[in-house]
């Protein structure tokens, strides 16, 4: 790096999602030697955004550590439980740093040093307002990007670790038990906001293409077309009986807010409360699902789906689902009826490749979730499509690569259209149960016993359905 030209430094910045810095670096003629000589003050003068400052300084520091090898070797010696090579050089250097990065996430992540005004609010245990929430999320996003070495695509486990660290340090942020999903959603939205304007990074462009984003595409406040879901959100086409009413104003606001990256979730909650009567009437009158989602697009968000369920039943479906899987997953996997099931075989093969306790637990809960229909002799195609195309019209899960910690994906489908992307098996199972109730969809007979078992535990009936012997 010391011998790099200015142009080589610029290419290096682009590869690490720092393409916005290229014009300034060219103007100041920052070569490789100059880059390594930058101190905190120089970086602040060169780079305006705090997140970019953090990423740049971290990359420079890691290069210097890699060059000397001293600090990395010291870390190895101080971590006897991890078996790293005694000599780190050449080919095993890359794998060492990959393992070191994983350890940072799984065992030693610490929250960033928040600015003074944020610290004051947190120390006083005051519930932050909307602008302060954004400040907290911005610093968390910058800190995660630093640990990811410039990548803007954290996985679900990394989101969970960061949000858990925040709520453990400041329990008062977990509002009514819904704080985890709220903060996680806001953090994911922040990463989307940062990724949106980037047009010179291969990873970002590849994912934009994969998920239907077109270069130059803009979002309008009154009209948007969601290619991925095949649904149009048009405020102008509301039913005649809503026009000019207070409900009409709420619906317009909700549609406009849905198109934003950074959303005011507190106000979303308030307006969803104000419109629940008309929403429930539409659902009870069997209005087409696409019309309901066109007017109330936030029902596509798992957090709002769970919140709607709680308004109807006074039950925290996500919390209950976590408890169910934690209690029953081992029992489900030990049943003879699932011993030779392909899901269980796939699980056992993947368990051998991992040692981290949280990863193993997640895999087992995922398998237990997917095996539930088999346990009760139900039709699994009406419950989840694993690495297959969704064929059911009733609520069903689509699951891709269920035991791959880096590429597993969960989606909820209704009427063969994707409703929501979900973070893990727990959220997926909760969303499936919630969807039947929220949208008042009759349960198919061929999946009735499975859902009856789940619902009896969620609603804590006196004689809950039990697993077959």
């Amino acid at each position: 790096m010391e011998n790099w030209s200015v142009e080589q430094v610029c290419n290096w910045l682009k590869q690490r999602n720092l393409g916005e810095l290229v014009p300034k670096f060219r103007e100041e003629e920052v070569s490789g030697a100059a880059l390594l000589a930058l101190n905190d003050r120089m970086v602040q003068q060169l780079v305006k955004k705090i997140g970019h400052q953090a990423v740049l300084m971290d990359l420079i520091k890691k290069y210097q550590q890699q060059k000397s090898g001293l600090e990395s070797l010291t870390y190895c010696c101080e971590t006897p439980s991890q078996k790293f090579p005694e000599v780190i050089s050449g080919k095993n250097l890359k794998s060492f740093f990959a393992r070191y990065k994983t350890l940072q996430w799984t065992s030693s992540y610490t929250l960033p040093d928040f600015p003074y005004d944020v610290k004051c609010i947190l120390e006083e245990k005051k519930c932050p307002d909307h602008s302060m929430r954004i400040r907290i999320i911005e610093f968390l996003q910058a800190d995660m990007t630093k640990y990811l070495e410039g990548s803007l695509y954290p996985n679900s486990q990394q989101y969970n670790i960061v949000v858990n660290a925040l709520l453990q340090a400041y329990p008062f942020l977990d509002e009514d038990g819904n704080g985890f999903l709220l903060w996680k959603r806001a953090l994911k939205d922040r990463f989307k906001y940062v990724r949106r304007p980037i047009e010179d990074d291969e990873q970002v462009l590849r994912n934009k293409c994969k998920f239907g984003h077109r270069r130059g595409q803009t979002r309008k406040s009154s009209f948007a077309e969601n290619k991925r879901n095949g649904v149009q959100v048009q405020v102008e086409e509301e039913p005649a009986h809503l026009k000019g009413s207070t409900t009409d104003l709420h619906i317009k606001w909700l549609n406009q807010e849905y198109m934003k990256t950074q959303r005011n979730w507190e106000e979303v909650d308030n307006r969803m409360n104000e419109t629940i009567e008309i929403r429930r009437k539409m659902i009870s009158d069997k209005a087409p699902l696409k019309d309901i989602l066109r007017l109330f697009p936030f029902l596509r968000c798992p957090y709002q789906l769970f919140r709607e369920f709680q308004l109807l039943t006074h039950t925290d479906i996500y919390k209950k689902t976590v408890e169910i899987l934690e209690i029953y997953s081992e029992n489900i996997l030990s049943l003879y009826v699932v011993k030779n099931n392909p899901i269980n075989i796939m699980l056992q093969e993947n368990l051998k490749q991992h040692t981290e306790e949280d990863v193993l637990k997640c895999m087992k809960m995922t398998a237990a979730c997917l095996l539930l229909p088999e346990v009760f002799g139900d039709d699994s195609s009406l419950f989840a499509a694993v690495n297959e195309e969704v064929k059911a019209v009733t609520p069903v899960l689509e699951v891709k690569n269920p035991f791959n910690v880096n590429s597993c994906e969960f989606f909820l489908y209704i009427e063969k259209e994707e409703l929501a992307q979900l973070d893990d098996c727990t959220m997926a199972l909760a969303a499936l149960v919630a969807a039947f109730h929220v949208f008042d969809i009759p349960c198919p007979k061929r999946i009735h016993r499975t859902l009856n078992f789940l619902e009896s535990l969620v609603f804590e009936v006196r004689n809950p359905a039990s697993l077959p012997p």
Side-chain angles (χ1 to χ4, degrees):
M1 184 180 283
E2 295 92 335
N3 300 322
W4 282 2
S5 65
V6 174
E7 197 58 38
Q8 286 175 308
V9 170
C10 292
N11 290 334
W12 178 78
L13 291 171
K14 291 178 181 179
Q15 293 171 3
R16 283 153 180 79
N17 298 326
L18 297 173
E20 293 181 28
L21 309 183
V22 168
K24 188 67 175 177
F25 272 60
R26 282 186 178 140
E27 179 184 344
E28 299 293 337
E29 297 183 356
V30 179
S31 63
L35 178 66
L36 294 176
L38 292 176
N39 56 33
D40 290 354
R41 186 176 178 181
M42 294 176 183
V43 170
Q44 290 173 4
Q45 292 176 341
L46 274 171
V47 183
K48 292 182 179 180
K49 293 183 179 180
I50 295 175
H52 288 168
Q53 291 175 13
V55 172
L56 183 61
M57 288 303 298
D58 191 62
L59 289 171
I60 294 172
K61 180 181 177 181
K62 285 183 176 178
Y63 175 82
Q64 292 169 340
Q65 290 176 0
Q66 178 179 336
K67 182 182 176 183
S68 63
L70 295 177
E71 186 169 337
S72 299
L73 288 171
T74 301
Y75 181 84
C76 272
C77 295
E78 292 176 353
T79 315
S81 63
Q82 304 300 327
K83 298 180 180 180
F84 293 126
E86 294 183 1
V87 179
I88 301 176
S89 60
K91 294 181 179 180
N92 60 13
L93 184 61
K94 183 176 180 181
S95 61
F96 167 76
F97 276 107
R99 177 62 176 165
Y100 175 55
K101 182 176 69 174
T102 302
L103 283 174
Q104 287 178 307
W105 284 109
T106 58
S107 61
S108 60
Y109 177 79
T110 55
L111 291 171
D113 189 20
F114 291 114
Y116 178 75
D117 57 335
V118 177
K119 285 182 180 178
C120 290
I121 294 293
L122 295 176
E123 288 175 2
E124 294 175 8
K125 296 184 179 180
K126 291 183 178 179
C127 188
D129 58 18
H130 181 58
S131 61
M132 189 60 67
R133 285 174 178 271
I134 292 177
R135 293 262 287 153
I136 294 172
I137 288 296
E138 286 176 347
F139 273 83
L140 289 177
Q141 180 267 319
D143 192 57
M144 290 180 72
T145 305
K146 177 187 72 174
Y147 278 105
L148 289 167
E149 298 183 354
S151 173
L152 295 173
Y153 290 94
N155 60 37
S156 181
Q157 182 187 9
Q158 290 162 346
Y159 279 120
N160 292 344
I161 289 170
V162 172
V163 175
N164 279 326
L166 178 68
L167 298 184
Q168 287 176 8
Y170 308 104
F172 61 91
L173 296 177
D174 189 8
E175 303 168 4
D176 301 325
N178 293 321
F180 178 84
L181 293 175
L182 187 66
W183 285 98
K184 184 174 180 179
R185 180 73 267 167
L187 189 55
K188 295 179 76 172
D189 285 348
R190 176 63 189 175
F191 269 95
K192 290 180 182 178
Y193 174 79
V194 172
R195 291 194 299 260
R196 182 177 296 168
I198 296 176
E199 296 185 354
D200 57 358
D201 179 80
E202 182 179 349
Q203 184 186 21
V204 174
L205 291 176
R206 184 170 61 249
N207 279 276
K208 283 182 177 180
C209 179
K210 177 181 177 182
F211 294 111
H213 178 95
R214 293 174 294 174
R215 183 173 294 187
Q217 183 178 5
T218 58
R219 298 190 176 200
K220 302 178 182 179
S221 60
S222 63
F223 170 82
E225 184 178 16
N226 190 325
K227 281 288 184 183
R228 206 166 161 225
N229 294 300
V231 176
Q232 285 190 334
V233 180
Q234 285 183 284
V235 178
E236 293 84 356
E237 295 183 1
E238 294 162 7
H241 69 276
L242 295 178
K243 289 187 179 293
S245 66
T246 304
T247 304
D248 176 39
L249 297 177
H250 288 316
I251 289 174
K252 285 184 178 180
W253 186 91
L254 287 168
N255 276 268
Q256 291 171 358
E257 191 70 10
Y258 184 71
M259 303 314 300
K260 296 179 181 179
T261 301
Q262 294 184 348
R263 297 156 176 166
N264 185 343
W265 287 105
E266 183 177 354
E267 186 63 20
V268 169
D269 291 348
N270 293 335
R271 293 183 185 255
M272 289 292 282
N273 287 346
E274 292 293 330
T275 56
I276 189 170
E277 184 177 347
I278 185 65
R279 188 163 59 252
R280 299 318 305 170
K281 186 177 188 308
M282 290 180 67
I283 291 173
S284 64
D285 290 344
K286 303 301 179 184
L289 180 63
K290 64 179 181 179
D291 289 345
I292 297 169
L293 295 175
R294 176 169 59 81
L295 298 179
F296 304 101
F298 276 101
L299 289 178
R300 295 179 178 277
C301 300
Y303 164 72
Q304 282 299 328
L305 187 65
F306 298 157
R307 191 172 178 278
E308 189 92 350
F309 183 91
Q310 191 163 12
L311 290 173
L312 296 173
T313 65
H314 307 288
T315 303
D316 186 339
I317 181 67
Y318 181 78
K319 181 179 179 181
K320 288 292 184 181
T321 305
V322 172
E323 294 172 357
I324 292 169
L325 286 179
E326 287 182 344
I327 293 172
Y328 286 91
S329 58
E330 292 289 348
N331 291 338
I332 292 171
L333 295 176
S334 65
L335 293 173
Y336 180 78
V337 70
V338 303
K339 181 178 179 181
N340 297 318
N341 187 280
I343 295 292
N344 199 11
I345 294 173
M346 195 187 311
L347 168 68
Q348 300 305 323
E349 292 175 352
N350 282 272
L351 288 177
K352 300 174 184 178
Q353 302 175 18
H354 299 275
T355 57
E356 298 87 349
E357 185 177 346
D358 55 340
V359 174
L360 299 178
K361 179 181 178 181
C362 180
M363 285 185 175
K364 290 180 179 179
M365 290 173 68
T366 299
C369 170
L370 298 177
L371 288 170
L372 268 174
E374 299 293 335
V375 171
F376 290 95
D378 282 339
D379 186 347
S380 59
S381 67
L382 298 178
F383 185 83
V386 182
N387 294 329
E388 294 179 356
E389 181 182 354
V390 169
K391 297 179 181 179
V393 295
T394 52
V396 65
L397 300 176
E398 181 188 44
V399 185
K400 298 179 180 179
N401 309 314
F403 304 115
N404 188 320
V405 294
N406 296 316
S407 63
C408 59
E409 293 179 310
F410 299 85
F411 303 91
L412 175 64
Y413 275 70
I414 304 180
E415 297 179 0
K416 296 186 180 181
E417 297 289 343
E418 182 189 319
L419 182 79
Q421 182 171 0
L422 309 151
D423 293 332
D424 49 39
C425 70
T426 307
M427 184 179 287
L429 186 57
L432 180 67
V433 175
F436 278 100
H437 284 265
V438 169
F439 298 109
D440 193 22
I441 298 173
C443 173
K445 290 184 178 180
R446 289 182 294 160
I447 200 69
H448 174 74
R449 283 173 290 189
T450 301
L451 291 182
N452 182 52
F453 167 75
L454 293 170
E455 290 174 354
S456 69
L457 296 174
V458 168
F459 296 118
E460 297 181 346
V461 300
R462 289 188 176 182
N463 296 310
S466 59
L467 291 173

